[in-house]
Amino acid sequence: YYLVWDVYQAAFIRGVAGLSANIGVVGPIWFRTSAFEMPALPPRAVAVFDVQPVRDAFYNTLGTDFDYYTPEVVCKFLSDSYKVVEGGGCKLVLKRKREIGKLIHPLYRNHIKELGGLASFVEVDADRDAWQVIEHAIAVISMPFTSTALIAKEMGKPAIYYDPCGFLQKDDQAAHGVEILCNIEELGAWLSKVLEKESASEGKHA
């Protein structure tokens, strides 16, 4: 008996396990990474979830000829996200995937330090609960194909995958129906629409 998040996972399991598999689509399966409460986030927080690139020596041990999560791609993901979020008068709240210690790539580490000195950048501890970050954000930008976009979608939050280099196909099944944006112009247009809806909603409740 398989419990899966959505119909995309169900289709994958069906293809592997066959028609006899008993599959239940139950939505994102709840879990916590931290027992500590989330500190207060700034108003108009846009949650951003990346994947930290590791040192080249680690990739060499895997023997792969291509890896998407290079420091160049991840740093551009963060830089573009910051430009768009800051330009919209919002705060970028970064939640890294996990703490990886000395494996982290130095180019990425230095880039995070540079962003840390900017007024509209906030980083929460990597061990904090992603669910709580999403809950207190107005929108979510995720690196393909992290589960945070699916969690945000389930919670009713505006969410997209952002591919800063246009490497991915927009109809990639790994996106599970979440829209993939492929350049900073698309990202800016998306956030503008999110903020328009946010302002309209605030006006109704004023």
Side-chain angles (χ1 to χ4, degrees):
Y1 186 42
Y2 300 87
L3 301 179
V4 299
W5 286 31
D6 56 29
V7 294
Y8 296 92
Q9 289 184 350
F12 174 80
I13 294 296
R14 184 74 66 195
V16 173
L19 297 177
S20 62
N22 188 1
I23 303 172
V25 178
V26 299
I29 297 171
W30 186 90
F31 64 91
R32 279 187 182 271
T33 55
S34 172
F36 298 103
E37 289 298 319
M38 175 64 55
L41 298 184
R44 294 165 68 86
V46 177
V48 172
F49 297 89
D50 69 354
V51 178
Q52 311 99 295
V54 300
R55 293 177 178 273
D56 295 337
F58 177 78
Y59 287 126
N60 292 341
T61 65
L62 302 178
T64 57
D65 58 357
F66 173 77
D67 188 85
Y68 180 79
Y69 304 112
T70 64
E72 292 78 15
V73 173
V74 180
C75 289
K76 182 168 175 53
F77 168 85
L78 291 173
S79 294
D80 286 0
S81 296
Y82 182 83
K83 289 177 184 176
V84 168
V85 170
E86 192 271 339
C90 303
K91 300 288 187 180
L92 186 154
V93 177
L94 174 65
K95 161 68 171 68
R96 293 183 291 118
K97 191 172 181 69
R98 62 176 60 88
E99 184 58 59
I100 60 175
K102 294 182 179 180
L103 273 178
I104 199 165
H105 200 288
L107 292 178
Y108 172 83
R109 183 180 61 243
N110 292 337
H111 190 63
I112 293 295
K113 287 182 179 179
E114 292 176 5
L115 290 173
L118 302 177
S120 296
F121 181 86
V122 177
E123 184 179 6
V124 299
D125 194 300
D127 291 330
R128 293 294 182 177
D129 190 345
W131 293 71
Q132 290 182 332
V133 177
I134 294 169
E135 184 180 11
H136 293 92
I138 63 170
V140 175
I141 301 172
S142 297
M143 226 176 163
F145 288 108
T146 53
S147 63
T148 49
L150 307 183
I151 295 170
K153 181 180 177 182
E154 180 72 14
M155 294 173 67
K157 300 283 185 174
I160 51 88
Y161 284 121
Y162 180 50
D163 169 26
C165 300
F167 289 152
L168 306 176
Q169 298 293 324
K170 284 183 172 289
D171 60 351
D172 195 312
Q173 291 298 301
H176 289 222
V178 175
E179 184 179 11
I180 302 173
L181 306 182
C182 296
N183 57 61
I184 193 171
E185 291 79 19
E186 290 184 352
L187 186 63
W190 170 78
L191 185 59
S192 292
K193 291 180 180 178
V194 170
L195 296 177
E196 287 176 6
K197 292 181 179 179
E198 183 77 8
S199 297
S201 177
E202 291 175 351
K204 290 180 181 179
H205 294 90

